[in-house]
């Protein structure tokens, strides 16, 4: 069975940069949403860092681990520490955010295609309604890409 599209290394780079370069958080939050990430741990850390940033809690490996422990979330301290080794500059992070977004879009295309396929096989829906609904869903997915391109300035 094929694995869904993902960019694990890019996720590590983005999360590591969020830990190591707090000043770039607004840029990252402007491009990515937690559900764009593939790994459960990446999603969780993204949400933790966002919550800490909104609460003006200092962000570093120790404070993240304490926050995670206090909330009884399952993330290993060693994993958090390793991620900060993946830190890079803002332009590279933006590029990796775009890669993550593209992989998310591919996963969404697969999901929507499966829904369209299933509905077509069921034949319960008017064919023209199905086509129209499918086009709307695809346009919504394309909008994600356009917004990401604008945010990354490509």
């Amino acid at each position: 069975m094929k694995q869904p599209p993902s960019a694990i290394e890019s996720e590590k780079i983005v999360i590591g940069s969020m830990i190591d370069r707090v000043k770039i958080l607004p840029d990252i939050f402007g491009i990515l949403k937690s559900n764009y990430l593939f790994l459960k741990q990446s999603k969780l850390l993204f949400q933790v860092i966002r919550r800490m940033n909104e609460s003006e809690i200092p962000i570093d490996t120790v404070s993240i681990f304490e926050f995670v422990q206090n909330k009884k979330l399952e993330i290993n301290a060693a994993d958090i520490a390793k991620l900060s080794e993946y830190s890079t500059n803002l332009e590279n992070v933006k590029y990796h955010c775009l890669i993550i977004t593209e992989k998310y879009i591919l996963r969404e295309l697969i999901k929507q295609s499966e829904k369209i396929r299933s509905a077509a096989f069921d034949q319960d829906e008017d064919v023209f309604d199905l086509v129209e609904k499918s086009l709307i869903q695809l346009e919504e997915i394309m909008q994600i890409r356009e917004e990401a391109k604008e945010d990354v300035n490509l």
Side-chain angles (χ1 to χ4, degrees):
M1 186 169 154
K2 288 186 176 184
Q3 288 290 89
S6 63
I8 307 303
E9 291 302 310
S10 289
E11 290 186 17
K12 290 178 183 178
I13 288 168
V14 169
I15 300 296
S17 298
M18 291 172 75
I19 295 168
D20 196 47
R21 300 178 185 271
V22 179
K23 291 180 182 178
I24 68 173
L25 291 178
D27 293 289
I28 294 172
F29 294 145
I31 301 169
L32 284 183
K33 296 180 181 160
S34 63
N35 63 317
Y36 291 10
L37 299 161
F38 182 72
L39 294 177
K40 180 181 176 183
Q41 178 170 298
S42 296
K43 290 177 185 181
L44 191 56
L45 281 170
F46 185 93
Q47 293 166 350
V48 164
I49 293 168
R50 177 175 225 137
R51 208 169 309 141
M52 289 175 67
N53 186 59
E54 290 168 352
S55 301
E56 298 181 1
I57 299 170
I59 297 169
D60 58 42
T61 54
V62 173
S63 61
I64 291 171
F65 183 68
E66 287 177 4
F67 188 92
V68 164
Q69 274 191 319
N70 289 339
K71 299 289 182 187
K72 298 187 182 352
L73 303 172
E74 292 190 29
I75 299 177
N76 187 312
D79 292 340
I80 296 170
K82 280 185 213 170
L83 286 171
S84 64
E85 296 171 11
Y86 285 88
S87 179
T88 189
N89 65 45
L90 178 58
E91 290 311 308
N92 288 345
V93 169
K94 284 183 172 184
Y95 178 73
H96 287 284
C97 286
L98 185 61
I99 292 170
I100 292 166
T101 302
E102 289 173 344
K103 299 300 180 182
Y104 168 73
I105 290 170
L106 288 171
R107 292 191 304 271
E108 285 298 300
L109 282 171
I110 292 166
K111 185 168 77 175
Q112 292 305 325
S113 297
E114 289 170 354
K115 286 180 182 179
I116 293 166
R117 180 180 183 273
S118 178
F121 272 112
D122 290 346
Q123 300 181 29
D124 292 339
E125 197 170 338
D126 177 72
V127 68
F128 297 108
D129 290 343
L130 177 60
V131 169
E132 186 175 333
K133 188 165 59 172
S134 300
L135 288 172
I136 290 169
Q137 291 168 336
L138 292 174
E139 286 174 11
E140 289 171 359
I141 293 171
M142 278 306 300
Q143 187 61 36
I144 295 168
R145 170 72 169 134
E146 293 308 312
E147 289 171 6
K149 280 173 54 177
E150 288 173 20
D151 290 335
V152 177
N153 298 320
L154 292 178

